[in-house]
Amino acid sequence: DQQVKQNSPSLSVQEGRISILNCDYTNSMFDYFLWYKKYPAEGPTFLISISSIKDKNEDGRFTVFLNKSAKHLSLHIVPSQPGDSAVYFCAASAFVSGGGADGLTFGKGTHLIIQP
Amino acid sequence: ETGVTQSPTHLIKTRGQQVTLRCSSQSGHNTVSWYQQALGQGPQFIFQYYREEENGRGNFPPRFSGLQFPNYSSELNVNALELDDSALYLCASSLGREVYGYTFGSGTRLTVV
């Protein structure tokens, strides 16, 4: 049973446009959400996170939106750049309730391809 | 400041054998977590060590075990290897048990034949 789902295995976006990556979760105990970026032959790199007490968090070109009632979050990248081409993982944690002892639950990832 | 380093980078083992993977934490970090990433999947939590004690464990059998040393480096041991153990094994270190402070290593690619 997948608790974190990224239903788009890949996404192609033109350079300069907005990239929107989606993520759904089923576990209502999740209270902290993160996005990671992964290049081939490298470990995941933290991108941005959001606590369940917020519905939006921004960091430069990256914005994460959280809709708790729909159990849905999305990552917006504006404008998209060639260096953004990578696999993006959505991850969740029952951090406040569980103290992080269950680690992170990851989705399967979305391969973002930025076309020149 | 050095990041998280893992060794070896690649490894081939035969079914039934045992393997030890190693991880050096980022300087100043006292918590290590291990993840298994099978092909086409996201990383899956194996366990976490905080100050040399296992602090949490995912849905992995007991043949997956670990250690954390006083310098906060860590080992992942897998006994009785199975073909399905073939995966990328990722180590992440952090300061404290907070999941938002992870720094991941580049991983060890284990192939079981």
Side-chain angles (χ1 to χ4, degrees):
Chain A
D1 176 33
Q2 239 192 316
Q3 298 186 63
V4 176
K5 297 177 186 178
Q6 293 178 257
N7 292 320
S8 298
S10 66
L11 176 67
S12 184
V13 175
Q14 209 162 8
E15 183 180 355
R17 303 277 193 150
I18 183 171
S19 295
I20 300 176
L21 294 91
N22 294 304
C23 177
D24 297 295
Y25 63 96
T26 57
N27 188 342
S28 57
M29 299 298 287
F30 287 148
D31 49 34
Y32 200 83
F33 304 89
L34 308 91
W35 285 93
Y36 281 86
K37 177 179 178 180
K38 187 178 186 301
Y39 293 118
E42 293 184 13
T45 303
F46 171 74
L47 204 53
I48 193 169
S49 63
I50 188 166
S51 162
S52 60
I53 62 172
K54 293 187 171 184
D55 54 19
K56 178 182 174 181
N57 189 26
E58 255 180 292
D59 184 1
R61 297 186 297 116
F62 303 92
T63 304
V64 56
F65 296 91
L66 175 62
N67 182 334
K68 288 187 292 292
S69 60
K71 293 191 176 68
H72 176 82
L73 62 154
S74 61
L75 173 68
H76 292 211
I77 306 173
V78 184
S80 300
Q81 298 174 354
D84 296 331
S85 295
V87 177
Y88 288 78
F89 290 100
C90 171
S93 170
F95 175 63
V96 173
S97 56
D102 291 335
L104 290 173
T105 301
F106 283 84
K108 290 186 179 183
T110 296
H111 185 194
L112 176 64
I113 302 159
I114 306 301
Q115 306 275 11
Chain B
E1 177 180 278
T2 57
V4 175
T5 56
Q6 292 187 241
S7 62
T9 54
H10 295 82
L11 198 53
I12 299 174
K13 287 286 191 177
T14 302
R15 188 172 50 180
Q17 283 189 315
Q18 178 266 342
V19 69
T20 298
L21 309 182
R22 294 180 174 83
C23 172
S24 293
S25 304
Q26 180 169 313
S27 176
H29 285 183
N30 57 14
T31 304
V32 172
S33 303
W34 286 91
Y35 286 80
Q36 180 197 65
Q37 186 180 8
L39 200 60
Q41 305 292 316
Q44 191 173 354
F45 178 63
I46 303 175
F47 45 54
Q48 180 184 82
Y49 279 82
Y50 173 66
R51 292 185 176 176
E52 301 178 60
E53 290 194 3
E54 187 177 296
N55 177 57
R57 190 178 183 93
N59 189 25
F60 279 81
R63 57 189 186 84
F64 284 79
S65 63
L67 279 175
Q68 187 181 31
F69 300 101
N71 66 355
Y72 303 127
S73 65
S74 176
E75 285 182 356
L76 164 65
N77 298 290
V78 187
N79 293 322
L81 283 167
E82 301 176 0
L83 296 179
D84 284 349
D85 296 334
S86 295
L88 179 68
Y89 288 85
L90 293 162
C91 168
S93 72
S94 56
L95 179 60
R97 291 169 285 186
E98 290 80 6
V99 294
Y100 51 78
Y102 277 8
T103 300
F104 279 92
S106 297
T108 293
R109 172 73 63 188
L110 173 65
T111 303
V112 182
V113 297

